[in-house]
Amino acid sequence: MILLAVLFLCFISSYSASVKGHTTGLSLNNDRLYKLTYSTEVFVNRVGESLQDGVGYKISSNVDVVLLWRNPDGDDDQLIKVTIKDVNVENANQREGGKNIFNGKKISQIIGKENLAALKTPVLLHLTRGKVRSSFKRTISSFSPSSFSSLLQ
C-alpha cells in the first residue's frame, strides 16, 4: 500500500503547476492513453556508509492514465483513470547470486498477491483545477458509463 501511495504522490506532484497562486490542472486530451514510467530507490545504510555498500531496493512501474470525462462547462473539472502496470522490485545495488534476495522470485512473491492485485486495480481520480477532490477504487468490471454520473454527485 505504501508503494501505491508513493506512486500516486509522484504522479500528482509531477503534473501540478502553480501560476500566480492559481493551480492549473492536467492538460489531458480525450481519446488518448498516456503511458508514464516511475521508479524510486530506497536505501538503508549505516551512518557514514556509502551508497554502494548499503542495501536497498528499486521499485519501478508503468502507469497508464486516460481522461474519462471533462466538465463541458470548462471548470477544469475532470475524471481520470490511473492504472499501475508492470510493477518490478529489484536490488538497488548489484548483488551476486546468493546475496540477491530477489533472484528468481516473481513480483507476487516479493510484495504478495493481494498487494499486487491492489496496485493493479484501476483508480478513478476526480480532479478540479489540478487538485484531487476524491478518488474511487473499484474492480474494472464495475466501471460503466452510467456509473460515472453517480460518482461525481
Side-chain angles (χ1 to χ4, degrees):
M1 239 9 166
I2 293 173
L3 175 62
L4 181 63
V6 169
L7 290 173
F8 280 133
L9 289 175
C10 290
F11 169 73
I12 296 302
S13 66
S14 68
Y15 279 108
S16 64
S18 196
V19 179
K20 292 186 181 179
H22 175 65
T23 304
T24 59
L26 295 174
S27 180
L28 299 177
N29 294 323
N30 290 334
D31 303 323
R32 177 174 273 183
L33 174 66
Y34 294 86
K35 293 186 169 281
L36 309 166
T37 300
Y38 290 101
S39 67
T40 189
E41 294 179 355
V42 178
F43 287 96
V44 181
N45 294 346
R46 293 186 177 119
V47 176
E49 189 175 44
S50 71
L51 289 178
Q52 291 79 17
D53 296 332
V55 296
Y57 55 91
K58 178 180 179 180
I59 302 169
S60 60
S61 71
N62 294 325
V63 179
D64 291 350
V65 179
V66 65
L67 176 67
L68 298 176
W69 173 84
R70 178 171 300 178
N71 187 345
D73 296 334
D75 192 26
D76 201 16
D77 199 22
Q78 53 195 347
L79 183 68
I80 62 172
K81 181 173 82 170
V82 179
T83 307
I84 298 174
K85 297 181 173 188
D86 307 323
V87 179
N88 189 27
V89 179
E90 58 190 48
N91 279 316
N93 292 326
Q94 294 297 321
R95 300 275 182 209
E96 297 166 6
K99 293 183 179 182
N100 186 350
I101 62 170
F102 302 120
N103 193 20
K105 292 187 179 178
K106 296 179 182 178
I107 187 68
S108 60
Q109 293 172 312
I110 297 170
I111 66 173
K113 289 181 183 180
E114 291 178 5
N115 291 333
L116 183 60
L119 283 173
K120 290 185 174 184
T121 301
V123 175
L124 296 183
L125 298 176
H126 180 202
L127 303 173
T128 302
R129 293 183 194 92
K131 296 196 180 205
V132 177
R133 286 189 54 196
S134 53
S135 63
F136 311 95
K137 186 172 183 177
R138 297 184 183 178
T139 60
I140 192 65
S141 61
S142 66
F143 288 130
S144 66
S146 62
S147 67
F148 293 142
S149 60
S150 65
L151 290 175
L152 297 174
Q153 294 176 352

